[in-house]
Amino acid sequence: MANAEKTATIEDLASKFRDSSGAVLTEYRGLTVAQLGELRANLRGNATFNVTKNTLAKVAATQAGVGDQVESMLVGPSAIAFVSGDVSQAAKGLLDFAKANPLLVIKGGVLDGKALTAAEVGKLADLEPREVLLAKLAGAMKASMAGAAATFNALPTQMALLADALRAKVEAGAPAAAAAEAPEAAAPEADTAADTETPTQD
C-alpha cells in the first residue's frame, strides 16, 4: 500500500473513530466475502463494518484519542463496526450474526471514549431500541406534566374553599365578640346615671 493510500486510510479511520458514537472490534478469520456482505446488510442503518490492518487502525485510533482503549484488541484479522445509529441495535446485529456464524468473534469496543469488554457489548445488545426508550421517556414526562397541571388547576378551587371557611369562621365569631363588648359599653352609662341621681334630703 502506497504512503498516500495509507495516509488516506488512516485519516478515514480516525474520522470514523471520532465521529461514531461507538465502535465494536471483531475478529473475522474464516468468514467468506458473502458472509461479510450479509453482516454489512444486517448492520445497515446502524453501523458500517470495516476490515482493516491493525497497524493502520492503531495509528488512526491514537489520532482520534482512543488508542489506549483499543490497542490491545487490535490483534489477528480485525474488522471494526463503527456505530452511526442505534448502539444497542448495532450490538444486537453483531451478536445475532456471531451466534449464527461463530467465526465472527467480538473482542470488545469503545463507547463515548471508554473501553468495553465483549461482555459489555453483549449487555448493550440487551437494551431496548432508542425509539422505545425515547417513547418511554416522553410518556413519563407527559404524565409528570399532567400531574402538575392537575395540581395547578386545583389551586383556585382549594383557595376558594379556604376563603369560604375563613369567612364562615369570622361570621360565627362576630356575635360572641359583640356580646362580650356590650357589658363594657353599658358600664359607663350606669356610672353616669348613678352620679346624676344623687338623693336629696329635706
Side-chain angles (χ1 to χ4, degrees):
M1 185 181 291
N3 287 337
E5 188 178 354
K6 287 181 180 180
T7 300
T9 300
I10 289 171
E11 289 178 353
D12 179 58
L13 290 172
S15 176
K16 287 179 177 177
F17 271 119
R18 281 192 295 265
D19 299 338
S20 299
S21 53
V24 179
L25 284 79
T26 69
E27 182 176 321
Y28 67 98
R29 191 194 309 268
L31 291 177
T32 65
V33 173
Q35 288 172 321
L36 290 175
E38 180 186 349
L39 175 56
R40 288 189 173 97
N42 287 348
L43 296 175
R44 189 170 293 123
N46 291 306
T48 58
F49 194 72
N50 295 72
V51 174
T52 182
K53 291 183 178 296
N54 290 332
T55 52
L56 301 183
K58 287 178 181 179
V59 175
T62 299
Q63 289 184 2
V66 292
D68 293 339
Q69 289 87 330
V70 303
E71 185 174 2
S72 62
M73 304 177 201
L74 290 169
V75 292
S78 297
I80 305 172
F82 291 102
V83 181
S84 56
D86 191 307
V87 175
S88 65
Q89 290 298 96
K92 188 175 187 306
L94 286 166
L95 289 175
D96 287 347
F97 185 87
K99 288 177 182 177
N101 302 273
L103 292 176
L104 180 73
V105 179
I106 309 294
K107 300 179 184 179
V110 59
L111 181 66
D112 294 332
K114 297 181 180 180
L116 299 174
T117 64
E120 288 170 332
V121 173
K123 290 180 181 179
L124 285 176
D126 293 333
L127 294 177
E128 292 179 313
R130 181 173 179 270
E131 291 77 9
V132 175
L133 294 174
L134 287 175
K136 287 186 176 181
L137 177 61
M141 291 177 66
K142 184 177 180 181
S144 177
M145 291 175 67
T151 300
F152 288 132
N153 289 336
L155 284 177
T157 302
Q158 292 174 355
M159 291 297 292
L161 292 173
L162 181 61
D164 288 342
L166 183 60
R167 189 180 301 112
K169 183 176 181 181
V170 169
E171 290 174 354
E181 292 174 0
E184 295 179 5
E189 295 179 3
D191 293 342
T192 304
D195 291 341
T196 56
E197 296 179 3
T198 304
T200 58
Q201 293 181 351
D202 292 335

